[in-house]
Amino acid sequence: MRHEWLEYVQRLSWDTPITVALTSATVGSVIALAWITASNARRRKRQRRDTALELALSLEGHARACRTMMHKAVWALTASSAHARHEICKDVTIPSFVFPDKLDWQVLSQKAISELREYPAMVHAAREHLEAFREFGEPAEFCWQVEFECAKAAMSALVLARATRRRFGTATWKPGARDSAIERELSDFIANAEARRKASLQEPTRFAFEQKLEVDPIVARTNGIAASV
């Protein structure tokens, strides 16, 4: 059977109508398949860019909301009365965050999805930490903690938004005049806050050391008096 088929193919002329028809159909199918594949690839790339843009815009919006909350925490600290500070502090916390509902996550890579979904979880954990701090901490210290956590969340959101735009070929963010220096402001605030926290952690140790220096001479004099007696 195989030999008969080979003999038939060898006898088949390329200029016969059936050969021309088969060749044309094959070429047409290949071209159509290539066009469909390219069209699907372009559509999928466009969907990825649109989804990435929505994600980046939501992250950048949350960064601005966090910066506004930082100002609100400062206003709470400078309120004229204790009652006013208490009322303002009730609403001071990291703004909640969720990505928009209608997003086509399937067009993104699994790695990108994992990195993006970590941000809402991080915000939720920070909010829970602040609520525990609100219950047991001093109002002034709580407001400072809110300001610090908001700055960190805002900075993380901007970094993630910039990485998302770059990864999927979306246009870079062009903030207005109000937000032109937001990253530098956040970076400076976080650096100063970290330095303040480090100094506050070292303060008890330094205080205990100074107390020991003050007590040691007294103990020495007491021992000397006891020995002379």
Side-chain angles (χ1 to χ4, degrees):
M1 182 67 182
R2 182 179 179 183
H3 293 291
E4 294 177 357
W5 173 253
L6 290 175
E7 291 177 0
Y8 174 76
V9 172
Q10 290 173 355
R11 290 197 305 268
L12 191 63
S13 176
W14 287 103
D15 57 356
T16 59
I18 187 171
T19 304
V20 173
L22 288 173
T23 304
S24 300
T26 302
V27 172
S29 298
V30 171
I31 293 175
L33 182 60
W35 185 86
I36 293 172
T37 302
S39 178
N40 289 339
R42 287 193 300 269
R43 184 173 65 253
R44 191 172 181 84
K45 185 177 181 179
R46 184 169 59 252
Q47 290 173 341
R48 280 197 298 267
R49 283 201 302 264
D50 293 342
T51 301
L53 180 60
E54 290 295 328
L55 290 166
L57 289 174
S58 62
L59 288 166
E60 289 152 1
H62 190 250
R64 288 191 291 268
C66 287
R67 186 181 61 174
T68 301
M69 187 61 69
M70 291 172 64
H71 297 327
K72 192 171 183 179
V74 174
W75 298 335
L77 287 174
T78 57
S80 58
S81 64
H83 177 72
R85 284 194 297 270
H86 177 72
E87 289 299 318
I88 297 176
C89 283
K90 288 195 302 184
D91 299 327
V92 171
T93 188
I94 300 177
S96 60
F97 177 79
V98 291
F99 285 114
D101 293 332
K102 296 181 179 180
L103 285 176
D104 192 1
W105 291 95
Q106 295 180 355
V107 299
L108 304 180
S109 64
Q110 193 62 40
K111 181 180 179 181
I113 293 174
S114 299
E115 292 176 357
L116 288 163
R117 289 195 180 279
E118 285 178 1
Y119 182 74
M122 182 199 72
V123 172
H124 179 71
R127 283 170 58 87
E128 288 189 339
H129 168 72
L130 286 176
E131 288 305 313
F133 201 91
R134 185 200 302 272
E135 185 176 355
F136 300 105
E138 293 294 329
E141 188 65 22
F142 169 74
C143 288
W144 181 86
Q145 191 70 21
V146 169
E147 193 178 6
F148 179 57
E149 293 295 338
C150 281
K152 291 197 301 181
M155 195 67 185
S156 298
L158 292 177
V159 170
L160 185 57
R162 183 170 59 250
T164 301
R165 285 176 177 270
R166 185 186 302 117
R167 173 180 289 173
F168 297 103
T170 306
T172 56
W173 185 42
K174 295 181 180 179
R178 181 182 178 185
D179 301 324
S180 59
I182 183 172
E183 286 196 53
R184 179 177 54 80
E185 293 172 1
L186 292 171
S187 180
D188 292 344
F189 177 86
I190 292 171
N192 293 333
E194 291 286 1
R196 173 185 169 182
R197 172 173 289 186
K198 184 178 180 180
S200 65
L201 292 175
Q202 293 175 347
E203 187 66 23
T205 304
R206 185 174 65 84
F207 179 72
F209 179 72
E210 291 176 351
Q211 277 191 323
K212 186 175 185 302
L213 292 179
E214 293 174 358
V215 170
D216 284 347
I218 298 175
V219 173
R221 287 197 300 271
T222 303
N223 291 338
I225 294 172
S228 62
V229 174

